[in-house]
Structure formats: structure tokens, C-alpha cells
Amino acid sequence: SHVQHSNGLRGVVTKSGGAGFTDVTTKTGYVATVHRQDLTKITLTAEEAALCDRFRLQPHEWLQAQMDGAICAVYEGREFGNCFATKTGRPQRMFTVESNGDVRGELCNW
């Protein structure tokens, strides 16, 4: 079913787990595990729902989506996800997944 979390996250329920938790796959392929009571049923467009299909992604793309959604660092009160913009506005990732599945730390490559 199509759902929206109380924090605005939208996607498709891909797994109903125990203890009141549910996995929701977003349009970027990220799978968020959230409390079921924080979800509201909604209707996604056909295009949005198709983007929530994790099987459209190659394995390394799926892993990158998980890392992009899960990694968060806080520095001087600011939050930085795995994807962020540098001071010059250039997009940057802390970690990238290569096509063979290897994960690289990119912070040292600036």
C-alpha cells in the first residue's frame, strides 16, 4: 500500500515486520523502517509508485540508496547526510558504492 510517514517520507510498504514496525521503500530506493502508527495511507501516482520498486535498481544502486538514506553526521549543530553540497555548491557523498559493490570513503578525495 502507499503511505506517508508523519515526517513527510512517502513510499510503498514493502514489509510489515514485528513489534509494530514497517519497511517503506521510497522513490530513491531507500528502505526506511518506521513505526506503523506513524503512517497514513495515501495514493501515489503511478510514476511515484514505479520509482519505489527496489528491483528497478542494480544491487550497487540499491546499496547506495540505503547508505544515502541512513548515514547522517552532525557537525557544529548542522546535519550532513551521505549526500550534501560543499561550500561551493558541488554535490558530494561521504561514501560511494562502486558497480562491483565495493564501498569507498570519499571524504579523503576532496
Side-chain angles (χ1 to χ4, degrees), residues 6-8 14 19 24 26 38 41 45 51 54-55 62 77 91 102:
S6 57
N7 68 6
T14 48
V24 177
T26 68
D38 294 334
K41 284 192 174 200
T45 66
L51 290 172
R54 71 165 277 203
F55 297 106
W62 179 84
D102 289 349

PDB file of all heavy atoms in Angstrom, residues 6-8 14 19 24 26 38 41 45 51 54-55 62 77 91 102:
ATOM      1  N   SER A   6       4.691  10.490   9.199  1.00  0.00           N
ATOM      2  CA  SER A   6       4.400  11.783   9.819  1.00  0.00           C
ATOM      3  C   SER A   6       5.501  12.813   9.557  1.00  0.00           C
ATOM      4  O   SER A   6       5.262  14.007   9.644  1.00  0.00           O
ATOM      5  CB  SER A   6       4.183  11.611  11.325  1.00  0.00           C
ATOM      6  OG  SER A   6       5.318  11.011  11.928  1.00  0.00           O
ATOM      7  N   ASN A   7       6.730  12.366   9.181  1.00  0.00           N
ATOM      8  CA  ASN A   7       7.806  13.309   8.876  1.00  0.00           C
ATOM      9  C   ASN A   7       7.841  13.707   7.398  1.00  0.00           C
ATOM     10  O   ASN A   7       8.747  14.395   6.960  1.00  0.00           O
ATOM     11  CB  ASN A   7       9.169  12.734   9.281  1.00  0.00           C
ATOM     12  CG  ASN A   7       9.600  11.550   8.441  1.00  0.00           C
ATOM     13  OD1 ASN A   7       8.957  11.187   7.457  1.00  0.00           O
ATOM     14  ND2 ASN A   7      10.694  10.921   8.829  1.00  0.00           N
ATOM     15  N   GLY A   8       6.858  13.228   6.601  1.00  0.00           N
ATOM     16  CA  GLY A   8       6.769  13.594   5.197  1.00  0.00           C
ATOM     17  C   GLY A   8       7.284  12.541   4.238  1.00  0.00           C
ATOM     18  O   GLY A   8       7.043  12.629   3.040  1.00  0.00           O
ATOM     19  N   THR A  14       6.828  -2.271   1.886  1.00  0.00           N
ATOM     20  CA  THR A  14       7.456  -3.444   1.273  1.00  0.00           C
ATOM     21  C   THR A  14       7.622  -4.593   2.254  1.00  0.00           C
ATOM     22  O   THR A  14       7.926  -5.709   1.846  1.00  0.00           O
ATOM     23  CB  THR A  14       8.829  -3.080   0.662  1.00  0.00           C
ATOM     24  OG1 THR A  14       9.584  -2.335   1.609  1.00  0.00           O
ATOM     25  CG2 THR A  14       8.641  -2.270  -0.598  1.00  0.00           C
ATOM     26  N   ALA A  19       6.677  -6.197  16.095  1.00  0.00           N
ATOM     27  CA  ALA A  19       6.790  -5.112  17.076  1.00  0.00           C
ATOM     28  C   ALA A  19       6.315  -3.765  16.533  1.00  0.00           C
ATOM     29  O   ALA A  19       6.791  -2.718  16.959  1.00  0.00           O
ATOM     30  CB  ALA A  19       8.231  -5.005  17.584  1.00  0.00           C
ATOM     31  N   VAL A  24       9.260   0.831   4.515  1.00  0.00           N
ATOM     32  CA  VAL A  24       8.698   1.654   3.446  1.00  0.00           C
ATOM     33  C   VAL A  24       9.813   1.965   2.462  1.00  0.00           C
ATOM     34  O   VAL A  24      10.854   2.510   2.849  1.00  0.00           O
ATOM     35  CB  VAL A  24       8.098   2.966   3.997  1.00  0.00           C
ATOM     36  CG1 VAL A  24       7.590   3.845   2.862  1.00  0.00           C
ATOM     37  CG2 VAL A  24       6.993   2.669   5.003  1.00  0.00           C
ATOM     38  N   THR A  26      11.163   4.170  -0.558  1.00  0.00           N
ATOM     39  CA  THR A  26      10.908   5.499  -1.104  1.00  0.00           C
ATOM     40  C   THR A  26      11.228   5.549  -2.593  1.00  0.00           C
ATOM     41  O   THR A  26      11.734   4.589  -3.164  1.00  0.00           O
ATOM     42  CB  THR A  26      11.770   6.548  -0.376  1.00  0.00           C
ATOM     43  OG1 THR A  26      13.143   6.321  -0.714  1.00  0.00           O
ATOM     44  CG2 THR A  26      11.572   6.484   1.128  1.00  0.00           C
ATOM     45  N   ASP A  38       2.782   5.636  12.745  1.00  0.00           N
ATOM     46  CA  ASP A  38       3.152   6.942  12.197  1.00  0.00           C
ATOM     47  C   ASP A  38       2.849   7.064  10.709  1.00  0.00           C
ATOM     48  O   ASP A  38       3.208   8.057  10.085  1.00  0.00           O
ATOM     49  CB  ASP A  38       4.648   7.202  12.421  1.00  0.00           C
ATOM     50  CG  ASP A  38       4.994   7.336  13.902  1.00  0.00           C
ATOM     51  OD1 ASP A  38       4.104   7.710  14.692  1.00  0.00           O
ATOM     52  OD2 ASP A  38       6.149   7.064  14.257  1.00  0.00           O
ATOM     53  N   LYS A  41      -2.299   6.116   5.064  1.00  0.00           N
ATOM     54  CA  LYS A  41      -2.492   5.644   3.694  1.00  0.00           C
ATOM     55  C   LYS A  41      -2.725   6.834   2.778  1.00  0.00           C
ATOM     56  O   LYS A  41      -3.475   7.750   3.112  1.00  0.00           O
ATOM     57  CB  LYS A  41      -3.673   4.679   3.607  1.00  0.00           C
ATOM     58  CG  LYS A  41      -3.359   3.319   4.144  1.00  0.00           C
ATOM     59  CD  LYS A  41      -4.444   2.342   3.768  1.00  0.00           C
ATOM     60  CE  LYS A  41      -4.001   0.956   4.207  1.00  0.00           C
ATOM     61  NZ  LYS A  41      -4.717  -0.098   3.514  1.00  0.00           N
ATOM     62  N   THR A  45       1.122   8.603  -7.355  1.00  0.00           N
ATOM     63  CA  THR A  45       0.888   8.491  -8.795  1.00  0.00           C
ATOM     64  C   THR A  45       1.541   7.196  -9.270  1.00  0.00           C
ATOM     65  O   THR A  45       2.396   6.622  -8.586  1.00  0.00           O
ATOM     66  CB  THR A  45       1.517   9.676  -9.553  1.00  0.00           C
ATOM     67  OG1 THR A  45       2.939   9.605  -9.416  1.00  0.00           O
ATOM     68  CG2 THR A  45       0.992  11.016  -9.052  1.00  0.00           C
ATOM     69  N   LEU A  51       8.781   4.251  -9.084  1.00  0.00           N
ATOM     70  CA  LEU A  51      10.096   4.604  -8.559  1.00  0.00           C
ATOM     71  C   LEU A  51      10.391   3.910  -7.234  1.00  0.00           C
ATOM     72  O   LEU A  51      11.548   3.745  -6.855  1.00  0.00           O
ATOM     73  CB  LEU A  51      10.217   6.118  -8.390  1.00  0.00           C
ATOM     74  CG  LEU A  51      10.297   6.927  -9.676  1.00  0.00           C
ATOM     75  CD1 LEU A  51      10.218   8.415  -9.372  1.00  0.00           C
ATOM     76  CD2 LEU A  51      11.560   6.593 -10.441  1.00  0.00           C
ATOM     77  N   ARG A  54      12.150  -1.394  -5.671  1.00  0.00           N
ATOM     78  CA  ARG A  54      13.589  -1.551  -5.459  1.00  0.00           C
ATOM     79  C   ARG A  54      14.225  -2.458  -6.494  1.00  0.00           C
ATOM     80  O   ARG A  54      15.434  -2.417  -6.698  1.00  0.00           O
ATOM     81  CB  ARG A  54      13.893  -2.059  -4.062  1.00  0.00           C
ATOM     82  CG  ARG A  54      13.506  -3.508  -3.842  1.00  0.00           C
ATOM     83  CD  ARG A  54      14.143  -4.040  -2.613  1.00  0.00           C
ATOM     84  NE  ARG A  54      15.493  -4.444  -2.931  1.00  0.00           N
ATOM     85  CZ  ARG A  54      16.184  -5.311  -2.259  1.00  0.00           C
ATOM     86  NH1 ARG A  54      15.694  -5.868  -1.209  1.00  0.00           N
ATOM     87  NH2 ARG A  54      17.407  -5.631  -2.619  1.00  0.00           N
ATOM     88  N   PHE A  55      13.445  -3.286  -7.167  1.00  0.00           N
ATOM     89  CA  PHE A  55      14.012  -4.208  -8.138  1.00  0.00           C
ATOM     90  C   PHE A  55      14.383  -3.517  -9.447  1.00  0.00           C
ATOM     91  O   PHE A  55      14.984  -4.123 -10.326  1.00  0.00           O
ATOM     92  CB  PHE A  55      13.063  -5.386  -8.357  1.00  0.00           C
ATOM     93  CG  PHE A  55      12.887  -6.185  -7.103  1.00  0.00           C
ATOM     94  CD1 PHE A  55      11.720  -6.103  -6.372  1.00  0.00           C
ATOM     95  CD2 PHE A  55      13.913  -6.981  -6.620  1.00  0.00           C
ATOM     96  CE1 PHE A  55      11.565  -6.813  -5.189  1.00  0.00           C
ATOM     97  CE2 PHE A  55      13.770  -7.696  -5.435  1.00  0.00           C
ATOM     98  CZ  PHE A  55      12.599  -7.608  -4.726  1.00  0.00           C
ATOM     99  N   TRP A  62      21.077  -0.046  -5.221  1.00  0.00           N
ATOM    100  CA  TRP A  62      20.236  -0.240  -4.048  1.00  0.00           C
ATOM    101  C   TRP A  62      21.044   0.033  -2.778  1.00  0.00           C
ATOM    102  O   TRP A  62      20.581   0.727  -1.876  1.00  0.00           O
ATOM    103  CB  TRP A  62      19.661  -1.661  -4.037  1.00  0.00           C
ATOM    104  CG  TRP A  62      18.811  -1.919  -2.841  1.00  0.00           C
ATOM    105  CD1 TRP A  62      17.498  -1.615  -2.680  1.00  0.00           C
ATOM    106  CD2 TRP A  62      19.230  -2.512  -1.608  1.00  0.00           C
ATOM    107  NE1 TRP A  62      17.069  -1.977  -1.428  1.00  0.00           N
ATOM    108  CE2 TRP A  62      18.117  -2.539  -0.745  1.00  0.00           C
ATOM    109  CE3 TRP A  62      20.440  -3.020  -1.150  1.00  0.00           C
ATOM    110  CZ2 TRP A  62      18.181  -3.044   0.537  1.00  0.00           C
ATOM    111  CZ3 TRP A  62      20.502  -3.529   0.131  1.00  0.00           C
ATOM    112  CH2 TRP A  62      19.376  -3.536   0.959  1.00  0.00           C
ATOM    113  N   GLY A  77      26.301  21.530  15.038  1.00  0.00           N
ATOM    114  CA  GLY A  77      24.863  21.710  15.013  1.00  0.00           C
ATOM    115  C   GLY A  77      24.207  21.526  13.652  1.00  0.00           C
ATOM    116  O   GLY A  77      22.996  21.638  13.535  1.00  0.00           O
ATOM    117  N   PRO A  91      27.921  18.923  -5.390  1.00  0.00           N
ATOM    118  CA  PRO A  91      27.395  17.762  -4.661  1.00  0.00           C
ATOM    119  C   PRO A  91      28.525  16.805  -4.271  1.00  0.00           C
ATOM    120  O   PRO A  91      29.478  16.623  -5.034  1.00  0.00           O
ATOM    121  CB  PRO A  91      26.424  17.107  -5.632  1.00  0.00           C
ATOM    122  CG  PRO A  91      26.736  17.680  -6.972  1.00  0.00           C
ATOM    123  CD  PRO A  91      27.474  18.959  -6.771  1.00  0.00           C
ATOM    124  N   ASP A 102      31.947  -2.554  -4.090  1.00  0.00           N
ATOM    125  CA  ASP A 102      32.907  -2.006  -3.129  1.00  0.00           C
ATOM    126  C   ASP A 102      32.431  -0.645  -2.647  1.00  0.00           C
ATOM    127  O   ASP A 102      31.915   0.159  -3.428  1.00  0.00           O
ATOM    128  CB  ASP A 102      34.290  -1.846  -3.762  1.00  0.00           C
ATOM    129  CG  ASP A 102      34.988  -3.165  -4.015  1.00  0.00           C
ATOM    130  OD1 ASP A 102      34.506  -4.211  -3.524  1.00  0.00           O
ATOM    131  OD2 ASP A 102      36.024  -3.156  -4.713  1.00  0.00           O
TER     132      ASP A 102
END
